[in-house]
């Protein structure tokens, strides 16, 4: 009797799960995108970093899907920690980006709101503090562009 129940449950599970609609993400579809134009507003430094990362990854001139991008980014710096002498020891940066993707061939427009935050230490030397800030901004932009590419892969697989 238990063997019969096990067999019945196994066959039932195979029938149900075999047609679940699962589709593997095809990251090669990302190389089938070409950028016609990129419009930017907001923080120029953040936009420059994001635009370069996107252009490096979506640079196929013979791609079938043509994309127009609109990037609006902002960066906000706030004080995170102070010491006993009321000197700032740590800043927090929040980078928020709104990216609008317009698939020209398919008449589809998608918008992504992406944000990342992190903190950096203040050093005794101003040049070291600026270097810490620049390194953190590059790291946060890398995370934002990775999120963007993951969402773009999901959309291109659905098209």
């Amino acid at each position: 009797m238990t063997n019969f129940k096990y067999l019945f449950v196994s066959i039932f599970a195979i029938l149900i799960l075999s047609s679940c609609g699962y589709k593997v993400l095809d990251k090669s579809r990302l190389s089938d995108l070409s950028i016609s134009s990129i419009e930017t507003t907001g923080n120029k430094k953040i936009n420059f970093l994001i635009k370069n990362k996107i252009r490096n990854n979506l640079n196929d001139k013979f791609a079938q899907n043509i994309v127009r991008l609109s990037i609006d980014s902002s960066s906000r710096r706030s004080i995170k920690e102070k010491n006993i002498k009321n000197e700032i020891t740590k800043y927090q940066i929040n980078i928020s980006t709104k990216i609008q993707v317009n698939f020209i061939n398919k008449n589809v427009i998608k918008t992504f709101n992406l944000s990342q935050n992190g903190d950096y230490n203040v050093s005794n030397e101003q040049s070291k503090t600026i270097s810490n800030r620049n390194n953190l901004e590059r790291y946060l932009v890398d995370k934002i562009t990775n999120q963007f590419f993951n969402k773009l892969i999901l959309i291109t697989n659905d098209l």
Side-chain angles (χ1 to χ4, degrees), residues 19-20 42 45 48 55 62 70 75 80 94 102 111 142 144:
S19 61
C20 66
K45 181 180 179 183
F48 177 76
R55 278 198 176 141
F62 302 108
S70 175
S75 175
K80 185 167 183 179
N94 184 2
N102 184 1
T111 303
D142 284 344
I144 286 174

Side-chain angles (χ1 to χ4, degrees), residues 30-69:
L30 193 59
S31 65
D32 194 30
L33 295 174
S34 176
I35 301 173
S36 67
S37 66
I38 299 178
E39 300 171 4
T40 59
T41 56
N43 190 319
K44 291 180 182 179
K45 181 180 179 183
I46 302 300
N47 286 338
F48 177 76
L49 293 171
I50 291 173
K51 189 167 39 169
N52 283 343
K53 286 284 262 185
I54 290 173
R55 278 198 176 141
N56 288 339
N57 288 320
L58 300 178
N59 199 14
D60 189 9
K61 296 189 184 214
F62 302 108
Q64 295 175 355
N65 294 326
I66 300 172
V67 174
R68 183 181 309 140
L69 297 175

Side-chain angles (χ1 to χ4, degrees), residues 66-108:
I66 300 172
V67 174
R68 183 181 309 140
L69 297 175
S70 175
I71 301 171
D72 181 21
S73 66
S74 65
S75 175
R76 194 185 59 158
R77 181 177 76 164
S78 60
I79 298 170
K80 185 167 183 179
E81 289 181 7
K82 290 185 176 183
N83 62 9
I84 296 173
K85 298 178 188 176
N86 206 21
E87 297 172 339
I88 299 170
T89 58
K90 199 177 275 191
Y91 282 107
Q92 181 175 15
I93 294 181
N94 184 2
I95 297 176
S96 59
T97 306
K98 179 181 177 183
I99 302 175
Q100 183 178 15
V101 181
N102 184 1
F103 294 92
I104 296 173
N105 297 347
K106 306 203 188 237
N107 293 328
V108 175

Side-chain angles (χ1 to χ4, degrees), residues 1-12:
M1 186 73 168
T2 59
N3 289 337
F4 180 70
K5 286 182 182 178
Y6 177 72
L7 181 65
F8 179 72
V9 169
S10 298
I11 292 173
F12 184 71

